Amino acid sequence: MTELLTSAQMRQIEQAAIDSGAVTGLELMERAGAGVVDAVFEEWPELGQGAHRAVVLCGPGNNGGDGFVVARLLQERGWDVGVFLYGDAEKLPPDARANYELWRKMGAVSSWEDLNAEQTTADLFIDAVFGTGLTRPLPEEVGRELIMTATHDKTTTKVVAVDMPSGLCADSGKMLGGGGDFSDLVVSFHSAKVGHYLDRSYQRCNSLVVKDIGLDHVFDESQVHLVDQARLSDDSCPGISKRKFDHKYTHGHALILSGGFGKTGAARLAARGALRIGAGLVTMGVPGAAQMEVASRITALMLTRVEDAGNLAEVLEDRRLNALCLGPGMGVERARDLVPVALAARHGPRVVLDADALTAYADCPETLFAMLHANCVLTPHGGEFARLFPDIAERLNKEPTRGPAYSKVDATRDAAARAGCVVLFKGADTVIADPNGACSVNAAVYDREAPWLATAGSGDVLAGFITGLLARGFAPMQAAETGAWLHVEAARSFGPGLVAEDLPEELPKVFRRLGL
């Protein structure tokens, strides 16, 4: 897992490095500016050939200081560079002021009021106005000018943001105030920030690059106590491989409960997902009216009759059943009947609650929370989350006026603490948290975009993936993280034209690519 930082955590690391005496703020600023220039030429090699024109917009803080370094380095390569400053040069922080003076020896600094479309025609547009430290609303005149200049000629101009597109909160990805621009490339430093992967951030950024500025080994790590760090899901899938002498029960027995006649498709998708991800056995529990329908559509999956709560209690007496999924296509009334039995089962199978199993408690979420235990995973989408956690959703959806804004990470952590179990809050920026505050972001954005997941049934397959991993002995948090990551990878592997049935069948290709 890759660590994601808040703006406060990044400041803490930088200050510890400076306090150690191993590096100065000016040196860090120089490295950041050089990192931006390197990233530009890596992204667009053609800009590294010959002279071009750049416009650099600098702000009143250290982000503006990075911009002055970029301007100087580009001009040293023969570029024609125009620099505009928002704010008073006399009030710049010391390091930014030092780089302002260095630039002044090479070129002019125009005032913000001089900005117009003709002056800002360029091959490269650098947004170094406000970065990760922004806490106030984006000034109206800044947002207006950023939009005007950055979109003047999108066919030829490449837009690069330093740290964050101006106006976006680095902790939440939300826009503070109106305006702001779209960036072709965002260049951040040391580590990606939480807000790079949440809310509007990835909608305003085409690509993200993180540049090393030499912070890893230049300070005493004991001086930095980072708490509540979120993590970015990656391609580590420990425990997925099967060992030479395993048998089917080594990898658990999952039970997927379905709805009635004509409503079994979602559960069949979940069951296939659980089987493909490696559960040793998967049984579908269906009411009598749907038995013939399901029996005619499955092969490797098994079938048992679960008509009502009494039947389910009997089935769960089998100690080999160690994971259970309720919700996909189940129907609200059936969910209300079966969820309490599943959660009170004597042998305590791990439980995934999705779809109708969540909607069934929309009018009484506290009733559900009272039944949940630490071996549960809830997988709500936005609407289901709002019904279960209305006050948290209201706070999350409120337009912020100051930063750091309440984020999807904050909301998912609060929901997990209230529910007392793992919560996977779905979306392109899926966030997963446990009751103790551990949190990860599984983002299908930037180079992991998977828009094909926006198709009926994909969430049912995800519930099945998680259930299959729980059956195999994965802890709830790990099952949710691994299942969500593989869900995206399967979609990316298949590509356009994906339907939900394709996701489980694509897993073998993903596993082979991972060398599993």
Side-chain angles (χ1 to χ4, degrees):
M1 292 281 183
T2 302
E3 293 177 341
L4 300 176
L5 297 176
T6 64
S7 56
Q9 289 165 343
M10 186 64 195
R11 286 194 300 271
Q12 193 177 354
I13 290 172
E14 288 177 326
Q15 193 59 52
I18 293 169
D19 290 346
S20 74
V23 68
T24 66
L26 268 176
E27 288 171 328
L28 292 177
M29 194 170 284
E30 188 73 17
R31 295 172 188 175
V36 172
V37 174
D38 288 345
V40 167
F41 295 144
E42 290 164 3
E43 187 77 9
W44 301 291
E46 66 274 16
L47 292 181
Q49 308 299 317
H52 300 273
R53 173 164 171 76
V55 169
V56 183
L57 300 190
C58 297
N62 284 328
N63 197 250
D66 297 338
F68 291 123
V69 175
V70 173
R72 173 165 47 81
L73 295 177
L74 289 175
Q75 183 142 310
E76 288 174 353
R77 295 178 65 102
W79 282 48
D80 174 23
V81 182
V83 177
F84 295 82
L85 174 64
Y86 178 77
D88 183 352
E90 299 297 322
K91 295 180 180 179
L92 286 168
D95 293 337
R97 179 61 188 268
N99 276 303
Y100 166 84
E101 297 296 347
L102 285 173
W103 167 253
R104 283 293 305 275
K105 295 176 182 178
M106 302 176 68
V109 176
S110 302
S111 69
W112 196 260
E113 291 74 20
D114 293 334
L115 271 172
N116 61 64
E118 290 303 317
Q119 286 179 304
T120 57
T121 301
D123 302 293
L124 181 65
F125 178 88
I126 302 291
D127 170 11
V129 187
F130 294 108
T132 58
L134 182 66
T135 59
R136 61 191 174 100
L138 184 71
E140 183 178 347
E141 65 272 28
V142 174
R144 182 175 62 249
E145 296 298 338
L146 282 172
I147 292 173
M148 181 271 291
T149 53
T151 59
H152 175 59
D153 191 353
K154 284 296 292 176
T155 60
T156 59
T157 302
K158 308 300 184 185
V159 181
V160 177
V162 179
D163 255 340
M164 293 290 293
S166 290
L168 286 178
C169 171
D171 291 4
S172 68
K174 295 182 177 181
M175 178 61 70
L176 300 178
D181 64 298
F182 174 87
S183 299
D184 297 295
L185 175 67
V186 176
V187 184
S188 192
F189 312 109
H190 181 64
S191 175
K193 311 307 177 289
V194 178
H196 283 134
Y197 292 95
L198 300 178
D199 208 88
R200 298 186 189 179
S201 186
Y202 59 83
Q203 299 172 12
R204 289 178 176 264
C205 314
N206 189 53
S207 182
L208 171 69
V209 170
V210 178
K211 285 293 181 179
D212 178 23
I213 53 174
L215 287 172
D216 285 331
H217 306 293
V218 298
F219 63 93
D220 183 356
E221 294 187 12
S222 67
Q223 297 176 358
V224 180
H225 303 286
L226 300 179
V227 296
D228 296 334
Q229 277 188 276
R231 302 166 297 167
L232 182 68
S233 295
D234 57 23
D235 59 358
S236 59
C237 297
I240 285 288
S241 297
K242 293 189 174 184
R243 295 166 299 185
K244 188 183 302 184
F245 300 110
D246 287 349
H247 54 79
K248 59 187 177 184
Y249 283 110
T250 304
H251 295 282
H253 187 174
L255 176 65
I256 313 292
L257 299 179
S258 86
F261 178 75
K263 297 180 179 179
T264 66
R268 285 188 278 112
L269 286 170
R272 188 68 178 175
L275 192 65
R276 272 292 187 196
I277 212 161
L281 299 91
V282 179
T283 295
M284 289 190 62
V286 304
Q291 279 188 271
M292 290 301 295
E293 174 186 343
V294 172
S296 65
R297 302 293 297 273
I298 63 175
T299 48
L301 300 169
M302 298 191 296
L303 181 66
T304 190
R305 180 169 177 169
V306 176
E307 191 71 47
D308 54 27
N311 288 153
L312 179 59
E314 291 173 7
V315 170
L316 291 179
E317 287 296 317
D318 184 347
R319 291 173 178 262
R320 294 173 298 182
L321 283 168
N322 62 342
L324 176 59
C325 177
L326 301 91
M330 194 174 199
V332 171
E333 292 303 319
R334 181 165 165 80
R336 283 179 178 160
D337 185 37
L338 299 185
V339 167
V341 177
L343 295 177
R346 214 170 23 165
H347 303 307
R350 293 171 174 177
V351 179
V352 175
L353 298 182
D354 184 43
D356 290 338
L358 303 176
T359 301
Y361 292 90
D363 58 349
C364 54
E366 294 301 328
T367 301
L368 175 63
F369 300 154
M371 295 186 288
L372 294 171
H373 51 73
N375 281 326
C376 295
V377 179
L378 310 185
T379 59
H381 57 53
E384 292 158 350
F385 187 93
R387 290 189 285 272
L388 286 179
F389 309 99
D391 55 325
I392 296 175
E394 181 179 7
R395 186 179 177 191
L396 176 63
N397 294 330
K398 185 177 181 180
E399 288 295 326
T401 57
R402 299 194 63 82
Y406 190 70
S407 72
K408 191 171 181 178
V409 164
D410 298 323
T412 309
R413 277 180 166 144
D414 287 345
R418 182 177 299 178
C421 67
V422 169
V423 173
L424 182 149
F425 189 174
K426 289 188 278 199
D429 55 348
T430 291
V431 179
I432 306 158
D434 75 10
N436 298 316
C439 186
S440 65
V441 180
N442 182 67
V445 300
Y446 306 126
D447 58 348
R448 290 194 78 229
E449 285 186 353
W452 317 287
L453 281 173
T455 185
S458 66
D460 304 316
V461 176
L462 174 58
F465 282 2
I466 297 169
T467 306
L469 292 170
L470 291 174
R472 295 187 61 184
F474 282 55
M477 185 72 178
Q478 186 189 15
E481 290 172 334
T482 304
W485 189 85
L486 289 170
H487 190 242
V488 173
E489 289 304 299
R492 293 180 63 230
S493 176
F494 189 92
L498 173 83
V499 294
E501 290 96 321
D502 300 319
L503 287 165
E505 309 318 310
E506 199 68 18
L507 275 183
K509 294 181 184 178
V510 175
F511 291 154
R512 283 194 294 272
R513 178 176 61 80
L514 294 172
L516 299 174

